[in-house]
Every structure is written in C-alpha cells, then in structure tokens.
Amino acid sequence: MAPGESDTAGGMATTDDVVEAVVRYAAVVSSHRQELIDLDAAIGDADHGENMNRGMTAAVQALEADPPGSPAEALKTVATTLIRKVGGAAGPLYGTAFLRASTAVQDRETLGPDDVVTGLRAALEGLVSRGKAEVGDKTMVDAWSPAVDAAAAAAGDGVAALVAAAADAAEEGMRATTPLVARKGRASYLGERSAGHQDPGATSTALLLRVLADLASERCGSDAGTA
C-alpha cells in the first residue's frame, strides 16, 4: 500500500484517515454548533457548542501546521489542542479521551479493527476516569459506552462495520439520555428538571462516531470500486 493510501476495506485505517476524520468532525461540529449550544442551554451553561467548535477548529489548524507521522501522533495533537484551547468540561474530557486513545495505539502505523476498538475503549476509560460518570448519569458516557460495546462485537467484520455499529449504538445512547435525570455535571444541579432534555456531550459524541462511520464507509466503497 502506498504511503497515505487508505485500506479501510481491507481492515486498516491510516494516518490520513485519522486526520480526515478530525477535519470532517470539525466541520460537523461547526454546522451543529447552535444545536449543541441550545442543548447545553437547557441543562448547562450553553457553552458546549462554542467550546467544541473553537477546539476542533484549532485541532485542524494544529494538524495542518505540523502533519502527524502516525495515527497516535494525530490523536495526541488533537488531545493537547483540546486541553489547551477548550474551556468548560469538554476540553479536559475530550482531551483525555483522545490522549488515552493515542497512547493505546502509539506503536501502530495503521489501525486494524482490534486497534480501533482498543482506541475507543481507552477513550471511554479516560472519560470515566476523568469525569467519574457511568451509564445512566446523563453524560457523554451514555453514548460512548454502548458504542464501544457495539464496536467490540462487530470487530470481526472489519473497521467499516465496527464503526458503523458504534455510531448506531452511540446515537441510540444519545437519545436515551433525554428522559434521564442528570447525576453528574452542571445538569445535575437541576435535579428532576434535567429530565426531558438530550445531553449535549452525548450528542457531540454521537456526531463524532457518525463521522467515523461515514468516512469508513466512503473509503470502503471507494476502495472496492477500484479493486
């Protein structure tokens, strides 16, 4: 495989794939910025959309300024940028997730199905460690946890299949936060009044997993068409 060429159909994701996913996620966050602000305004401090937009824009700029040589380097750049640039809870949480994922795949030039699952699981463990949340607390963990379980279950079917399963599970977990009463974060201050609102962190998580799924599907289809 030539440098930079994607082999998602064959079960591998390259550094270029990771960078492209970050670029696309930044664009999606930008287009959903107001939605994330509105969701956070209902149960938080209305800064999630703006913070994520600022952080992901900066992450793309950092990757362009210093192109990474491996998937782990790309993930670490995103992590350090988010921690440095994003306020509120999102920066430390997403930064920790990306940093843990980077560490988990640090020796890999490309990412196979097991590597992707390992990275996703490490990201979840970082979120849980940093935020002390669990499923049912009405946080991004409600989207991340089922996504990781679904990815692990589908790992034998390849990268595209596992991230598609993860995205579907994340979206289901996101929707499931709506009736929950928040037990963590600023939303928990509202008590019963937090019920009836979708969690913004779970929403940005579901958006991320869908970007990964769409990119993997596109690369898979492109590779199959040129085989």
Side-chain angles (χ1 to χ4, degrees):
M1 182 173 65
E5 181 181 348
S6 174
D7 186 29
T8 308
M12 307 296 286
T14 67
T15 302
D16 284 354
D17 290 330
V18 176
V19 172
E20 178 64 15
V22 174
V23 171
R24 293 190 184 196
Y25 183 51
V28 167
V29 167
S30 178
S31 66
H32 287 266
R33 171 182 166 275
Q34 191 59 52
E35 176 191 354
L36 294 172
I37 288 173
D38 293 343
L39 288 171
D40 200 26
I43 57 175
D45 48 13
D47 65 351
H48 190 63
E50 186 58 41
N51 284 342
M52 288 298 294
N53 186 45
R54 181 172 65 251
M56 291 310 303
T57 298
V60 171
Q61 293 171 346
L63 290 170
E64 291 173 344
D66 187 13
S70 69
E73 287 182 14
L75 293 169
K76 185 175 181 179
T77 294
V78 176
T80 55
T81 302
L82 292 178
I83 292 170
R84 186 173 65 251
K85 295 288 187 179
V86 181
L93 288 170
Y94 270 107
T96 298
F98 276 96
L99 190 60
R100 291 287 187 93
S102 171
T103 301
V105 300
Q106 61 183 344
D107 298 324
R108 303 290 190 267
E109 292 185 4
T110 57
L111 304 180
D114 289 344
D115 300 319
V116 174
V117 173
T118 296
L120 291 173
R121 191 179 303 281
L124 171 61
E125 291 171 352
L127 289 171
V128 171
S129 175
R130 183 86 188 196
K132 311 302 181 187
E134 59 186 34
V135 172
D137 283 345
K138 199 184 182 83
T139 71
M140 62 178 64
V141 171
D142 287 296
W144 270 101
S145 185
V148 171
D149 290 343
D157 297 325
V159 172
L162 79 85
V163 291
D168 289 344
E171 289 169 354
E172 184 176 346
M174 171 195 74
R175 290 188 292 269
T177 64
T178 300
L180 297 177
V181 174
R183 298 195 296 246
K184 292 289 182 180
R186 187 177 293 272
S188 65
Y189 302 160
L190 297 176
E192 295 290 337
R193 288 179 295 156
S194 64
H197 301 282
Q198 186 170 292
D199 181 69
T203 304
S204 60
T205 295
L207 291 173
L208 171 59
L209 270 297
R210 183 52 63 190
V211 164
L212 299 182
D214 288 348
L215 176 60
S217 176
E218 177 185 311
R219 295 290 170 88
C220 180
S222 175
D223 289 348
T226 57

